[in-house]
């Protein structure tokens, strides 16, 4: 019974870690607006965490730059399994307007599999919340598969 209670409490509280890999900050501002009282993603249990070691879902914004590539790989290695990677905006998927830049190493899926992609430049807060809802379902599936 205690194990069931612990499993249920984890299900209800996905913690998010935000990782900026070289974005213009447009997506970052939208992520912050999702947490504010207007959209209030915390009512669904989402909570931003300051460390990847406590995260269940990783939000990645921006194209992968030369400077951020190693940090991305190290940070994602610190996130405990099961984890869900969410690409916020067009840049992590396609490098968008930064494509071909001398400092851009490539899209996110070149380094890590993407579970959920939220399109837009920047995406609307409603789209981010929808992506987070999909991420919760994927996280539940991954947790069931681990049992």
């Amino acid at each position: 019974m205690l194990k069931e209670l612990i499993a249920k409490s984890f299900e209800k509280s996905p913690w998010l870690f935000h990782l900026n890999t070289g974005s213009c900050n447009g997506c970052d501002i939208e992520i912050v607006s999702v947490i504010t009282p207007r959209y209030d993603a915390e009512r669904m249990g989402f909570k931003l965490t300051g460390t990847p070691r406590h995260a269940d879902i990783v939000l990645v914004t921006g194209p992968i730059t030369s400077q951020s590539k190693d940090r991305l790989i190290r940070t994602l290695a610190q996130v405990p399994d099961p984890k869900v990677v969410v690409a916020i905006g067009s840049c992590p998927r396609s490098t968008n307007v930064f494509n071909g830049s001398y400092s851009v190493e490539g899209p996110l899926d070149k380094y890590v599999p993407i579970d959920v992609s939220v399109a837009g430049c920047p995406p609307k807060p409603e789209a981010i919340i929808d992506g987070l809802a999909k991420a919760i379902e994927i996280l539940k599936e991954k947790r069931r598969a681990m049992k």
Side-chain angles (χ1 to χ4, degrees), residues 56-127:
D56 301 306
I57 300 171
V58 180
L59 308 176
V60 181
T61 60
I64 311 305
T65 62
S66 303
Q67 191 174 21
S68 69
K69 181 180 75 170
D70 294 333
R71 293 176 185 146
L72 166 77
I73 294 167
R74 278 196 321 260
T75 301
L76 288 174
Q78 293 175 22
V79 179
D81 286 326
K83 63 181 165 240
V84 176
V85 177
V86 180
I88 303 289
S90 302
C91 290
R93 287 297 279 196
S94 67
T95 66
N96 203 5
V97 297
F98 302 105
N99 192 18
S101 174
Y102 68 93
S103 65
V104 172
E105 295 285 327
L108 179 61
D109 59 0
K110 186 175 175 182
Y111 303 102
V112 64
I114 299 171
D115 296 302
V116 178
S117 181
V118 179
C121 184
K124 293 184 177 185
E126 295 90 348

